[in-house]
Every structure is written in structure tokens, then in C-alpha cells.
């Protein structure tokens, strides 16, 4: 699904990512560990084009998204992102937070489809054939909003927060905010979700409910890249664990091998300090 080839990123001449190579397959759960400042967040931000890579390629569903010429917005909508600090819109209700992006994009799609359909109809009429019926051009914006709302409510029910649909994020606990942020990214129906330390800002008693939801997504087959300090999660849920240090992937292995038999001295040192 994602192939990262010789990815490099530098800020003002300082190399923060140095030749990152990794392949992420459909259904993979990749846990990313590493000390602070090793480039984990920069790596995720390059994956979803929040940062422009300095060099290398990121092939996502067959297209090099590191190539400036591609329309990154088309690809970014297939990649969800969950941040340490939730990043919910404070001035929107929980329901609005979830609906905003999918509703906007569906309306854009509808506009485009209507334009295209008209063009195709014209073209076909010109050719004397009218066989192509590409989109239901009679779909209304109201129907799109209704459908999007139903899907958002369904997701809220799934995490038991449907009674919070109309409140503002500030009234939620940290764990609730992060679970809303996760289903907000799910509402886009992404191919992959990137998590950047999703539990690091939470009070300890709220970490469990967020990890539980992430485990559920993993069981459902979602492809996930998770920067985390939760060793239990990495061990139990990840299909592969990678260790980043100094802008490089220093070790990549299935969890058992990664934790039981680390090869890199830097990883051995890192694990001895946290386990
Ligand atoms: P991690 O997430 O592993 O803690 P980061 O990816 O946030 O690491 O940062 C890696 C390095 O890149 C750090 O030295 C950080 O200071 C630097 N860095 C990150 N973002 C920027 C930026 N926008 N401008 C300059 N330096 C940055
Ligand atoms: Mg970080």
C-alpha cells in the first residue's frame, strides 16, 4: 500500500530523516518506537504530505506522493491522522467535527461529477450515443448531509458517545476527545491511519479506552502506523515494530523478535531503559 524509498528530510541543512526505507502492506500494524527527536513525527508528517520530503519517494496506492506534481489532497483523504493533542475543532460540536471533512469532500465530488456528467452527456450527444451514466446527478446536497450524519452517528454509537453528539469538545474527557478524533478519521473511510503518540497526552486512567479502540480497528483489518511509547500495545497488536534513531530506521522486526532479541546496541540500550 505504501512504499517509502530513500526518504530524506532536512530542515535548514540539518538531516532529520536519512534514507528511510519501508514497505507498509494492507492490514499491517506498524509500531514506531524511538527516542525523542529521532524523527518519528517528521516521518509521519512526510507520509501524509504535511511536510515536503527533501528527497526520495513515497509510493501510495501506486502514485508517488512525494512528487510535487501530484494533487496531494486527493491522496491525503485516503490517509487518516490522529495526533497527540487530538486537534478537534473547539468551536464545532462533536458531530460537526466528525461530519465536516466527509461532507465537504462529498459535496465537492458531487459538484465535479455533475460537471463531468454534463460534459460526457454533451460529448455523447455529439457522437450520437448516450450510454455512459457515470453518477446519479440527481443526488442532492441534503441527501449527502443526511447520509453523512447517519454515518457519523453510527460511529459515535460504536464508541458509546452518541449522547455527546451536540456538545463541544471542551466538555469531554481526554480519552473521549481522542476516541472522537479516531472515529473522525475513520469517517473518511481511509486506507490507512497514522497515529502520532495518541495516548501520550492522556491521564493514565484514560489510556486503556483509547488503546482498546485502536485494537478494535486493528482487528477489523485497518492498516495503521502508530508512533507510541506503549510497549504493551506494540508487543500485542503490531505486526512489525521499527526502531528509529537519529533519523534512521535502525531495526525492523516482528514484535517477538524485536523485544526478545534486539540486535542494535542503541535499541538494546533503549529497551533496557523503558522495560
Ligand atoms: P520525534 O517525533 O521522534 O520526537 P521529530 O520528528 O519531532 O522527532 O523531530 C526530529 C528532529 O527534527 C528534531 O531535532 C526537531 O527539532 C527537528 N524538527 C522537527 N520539525 C522541525 C521544523 N519544522 N523545523 C526545524 N526542525 C524541526
Ligand atoms: Mg514526535
Amino acid at each position: 500500500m505504501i512504499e517509502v524509498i530513500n526518504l530524506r528530510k532536512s530542515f535548514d541543512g540539518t538531516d532529520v530523516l536519512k534514507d528511510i526505507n519501508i514497505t507498509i502492506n494492507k492490514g499491517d500494524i506498524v509500531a514506531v518506537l524511538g527516542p525523542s527527536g529521532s524523527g518519528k513525527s517528521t516521518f509521519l508528517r512526510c507520509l501524509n504530505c504535511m511536510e515536503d520530503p527533501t528527497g526520495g519517494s513515497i509510493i501510495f496506492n501506486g502514485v508517488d506522493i512525494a512528487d510535487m506534481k501530484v494533487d496531494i489532497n486527493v491522496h491525503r483523504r485516503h490517509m487518516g491522522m490522529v495526533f497527540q493533542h487530538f486537534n478537534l475543532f473547539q468551536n464545532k460540536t462533536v458531530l460537526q467535527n466528525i461530519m465536516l471533512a466527509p461532507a465537504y469532500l462529498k459535496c465537492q465530488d458531487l459538484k465535479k461529477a455533475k460537471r463531468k456528467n454534463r460534459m460526457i452527456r454533451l460529448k455523447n450527444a455529439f457522437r450520437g450515443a448516450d450510454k455512459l451514466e457515470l453518477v446519479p446527478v440527481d443526488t442532492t446536497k441534503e441527501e449527502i448531509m443526511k447520509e453523512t450524519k447517519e454515518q457519523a452517528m453510527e460511529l459515535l454509537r460504536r464508541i458509546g458517545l452518541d449522547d455527546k453528539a451536540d456538545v463541544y469538545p471542551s466538555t469531554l474527557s481526554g480519552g473521549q476527545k481522542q476516541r472522537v478524533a479516531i472515529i473522525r478519521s475513520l469517517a473518511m473511510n481511509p486506507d490507512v491511519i497514522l497515529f502520532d503518540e495518541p495516548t501520550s497526552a492522556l491521564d493514565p486512567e484514560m489510556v486503556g479506552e483509547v488503546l482498546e479502540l485502536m485494537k478494535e480497528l486493528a482487528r477489523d483489518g485497518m492498516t495503521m502506523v502508530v508512533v507510541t511509547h506503549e510497549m504493551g500495545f506494540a508487543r500485542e497488536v503490531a505486526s512489525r515494530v521499527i526502531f528509529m534513531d537519529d533519523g534512521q530506521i535502525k531495526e525492523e522486526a516482528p514484535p517477538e523478535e524485536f523485544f526478545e532479541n534486539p540486535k542494535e546496541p542503541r535499541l538494546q540500550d533503549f529497551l533496557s531503559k523503558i522495560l
Side-chain angles (χ1 to χ4, degrees):
M1 181 182 287
I2 308 177
E3 196 180 358
V4 178
I5 306 162
N6 296 334
L7 174 66
R8 283 179 290 119
K9 175 70 188 173
S10 47
F11 292 107
D12 313 319
T14 307
D15 295 330
V16 170
L17 298 178
K18 308 166 184 169
D19 280 332
I20 301 282
N21 288 283
I22 186 171
T23 301
I24 298 161
N25 298 308
K26 192 167 163 37
D28 268 353
I29 315 289
V30 179
V32 182
L33 310 186
S36 173
S38 58
K40 304 179 299 296
S41 295
T42 306
F43 172 53
L44 285 197
R45 293 165 63 83
C46 282
L47 279 186
N48 85 338
C49 305
M50 284 166 80
E51 297 280 5
D52 293 331
T54 308
S57 313
I58 301 167
I59 315 292
F60 178 50
N61 289 335
V63 179
D64 185 359
I65 56 174
D67 182 349
M68 305 300 176
K69 289 191 285 291
V70 305
D71 180 359
I72 52 169
N73 286 321
V74 171
H75 301 286
R76 199 184 271 154
R77 59 198 278 184
H78 299 291
M79 270 193 203
M81 179 105 184
V82 173
F83 303 89
Q84 184 175 353
H85 294 288
F86 329 125
N87 296 23
L88 295 171
F89 303 111
Q90 296 302 322
N91 59 341
K92 304 256 184 255
T93 66
V94 165
L95 182 64
Q96 286 166 342
N97 262 279
I98 299 166
M99 286 180 63
L100 198 68
Y104 173 76
L105 285 171
K106 279 183 205 163
C107 287
Q108 293 286 97
D109 282 352
L110 181 70
K111 260 195 226 160
K112 250 185 249 167
K114 279 184 173 167
R115 251 194 330 259
K116 262 200 194 135
N117 192 287
R118 228 168 266 146
M119 272 170 57
I120 284 161
R121 277 195 173 153
L122 277 174
K123 219 175 179 177
N124 288 346
F126 192 65
R127 284 178 184 162
D130 198 357
K131 281 179 188 159
L132 282 175
E133 192 52 78
L134 282 192
V135 285
V137 276
D138 53 349
T139 309
T140 63
K141 197 178 159 192
E142 287 66 37
E143 280 170 332
I144 286 184
M145 296 305 282
K146 185 166 169 279
E147 184 200 276
T148 310
K149 183 175 174 181
E150 275 164 17
Q151 288 165 348
M153 287 306 298
E154 183 58 42
L155 286 166
L156 276 171
R157 269 192 293 279
R158 178 172 168 181
I159 58 168
L161 291 180
D162 42 323
D163 59 330
K164 301 283 188 191
D166 298 319
V167 308
Y168 287 86
S170 59
T171 64
L172 301 179
S173 73
Q176 291 172 333
K177 281 181 197 162
Q178 193 61 303
R179 287 186 295 132
V180 167
I182 291 171
I183 61 161
R184 179 177 63 171
S185 75
L186 261 190
M188 294 288 288
N189 204 6
D191 293 333
V192 52
I193 304 184
L194 314 174
F195 295 81
D196 195 357
E197 301 197 27
T199 58
S200 295
L202 297 175
D203 292 336
E205 71 269 25
M206 290 168 188
V207 169
E209 66 193 67
V210 171
L211 291 180
E212 202 43 57
L213 176 58
M214 291 169 63
K215 283 180 197 170
E216 228 179 272
L217 301 189
R219 278 196 293 270
D220 290 350
M222 178 58 77
T223 309
M224 296 159 64
V225 182
V226 186
V227 174
T228 186
H229 298 297
E230 293 293 331
M231 297 303 137
F233 179 86
R235 224 181 242 267
E236 273 176 57
V237 186
S239 47
R240 266 180 305 152
V241 187
I242 67 177
F243 175 65
M244 281 187 72
D245 186 37
D246 191 27
Q248 292 169 306
I249 295 180
K250 291 283 173 68
E251 190 136 336
E252 174 178 348
E256 192 158 320
E257 191 184 326
F258 185 95
F259 290 106
E260 305 307 331
N261 191 14
K263 291 177 190 63
E264 266 292 317
R266 279 290 291 130
L267 173 58
Q268 291 168 0
D269 184 50
F270 179 78
L271 291 176
S272 73
K273 281 181 186 133
I274 52 170
L275 291 180

